[in-house]
């Protein structure tokens, strides 16, 4: 049996999108109660979808606070990748302590050598 994965994932995406549209007023009200600004928060949902023998997706439930703990190496890999994708989507930049220390040393050197007059800005 040949499985058209693109078609299957399109169907799954369709279920997810329709579910989000159905609860959009609730999501909007919860967001407006949490913050005044639209672009300062996000929420992660976990969709449990069953695929039947005809390759049709069926929504079982939506988890508002899905567990991010991992019970196996595969689960850990999936959830680590998920978190990485979320952090990239929201624009979070990883902290590099070595780079920060070097930048601070360079900034102080420029100040003490008289190349800049303000220690807080280079």
């Amino acid at each position: 049996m040949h499985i058209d994965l693109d078609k299957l994932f399109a169907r799954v995406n369709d279920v997810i999108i329709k579910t989000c549209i159905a609860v959009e007023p609730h999501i909007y009200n919860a967001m407006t109660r949490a913050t005044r600004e639209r672009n300062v928060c996000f929420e992660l949902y976990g969709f449990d979808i069953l695929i039947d023998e005809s390759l049709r997706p069926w929504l079982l439930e939506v988890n508002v606070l899905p567990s991010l703990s991992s019970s196996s190496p595969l689960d850990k890999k999936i959830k680590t990748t998920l978190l990485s994708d979320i952090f990239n989507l929201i624009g979070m930049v990883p902290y590099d302590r070595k780079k920060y220390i070097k930048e601070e040393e360079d900034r102080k050197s420029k100040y003490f050598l008289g190349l800049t007059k303000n220690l807080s800005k280079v």
Side-chain angles (χ1 to χ4, degrees):
M1 175 178 182
H2 176 266
I3 298 175
D4 186 351
L5 291 176
D6 291 333
K7 188 175 183 179
L8 176 60
F9 277 103
R11 287 179 177 170
V12 170
N13 283 335
D14 190 53
V15 168
I16 293 171
I17 290 168
K18 287 177 179 175
T19 303
C20 289
I21 290 171
V23 297
E24 190 270 338
H26 172 72
I27 293 170
Y28 178 78
N29 287 334
M31 190 242 349
T32 55
R33 283 192 309 266
T35 180
R36 293 182 198 169
E37 302 293 326
R38 287 188 64 160
N39 298 324
V40 296
C41 64
F42 70 93
E43 193 162 13
L44 175 66
Y45 298 102
F47 288 80
D48 292 346
I49 296 178
L50 177 72
I51 309 295
D52 69 13
E53 65 276 353
S54 303
L55 299 178
R56 288 183 23 197
W58 296 90
L59 179 65
L60 298 178
E61 69 177 348
V62 179
N63 299 302
V64 177
L65 296 170
S67 171
L68 295 177
S69 64
S70 54
S71 57
S72 70
L74 176 62
D75 196 34
K76 183 176 182 178
K77 180 175 174 58
I78 290 169
K79 290 177 179 175
T80 301
T81 303
L82 169 69
L83 287 172
S84 177
D85 289 345
I86 289 171
F87 293 148
N88 284 330
L89 281 171
I90 64 172
M92 186 175 281
V93 178
Y95 177 72
D96 185 344
R97 183 181 180 105
K98 289 179 183 177
K99 182 179 176 184
Y100 173 78
I101 290 171
K102 179 162 179 9
E103 288 173 353
E104 281 296 298
E105 288 172 354
D106 290 346
R107 185 177 62 81
K108 288 177 184 176
S109 293
K110 287 181 181 178
Y111 175 76
F112 291 124
L113 290 173
L115 301 174
T116 183
K117 295 184 183 208
N118 189 346
L119 185 58
S120 63
K121 295 180 183 178
V122 176

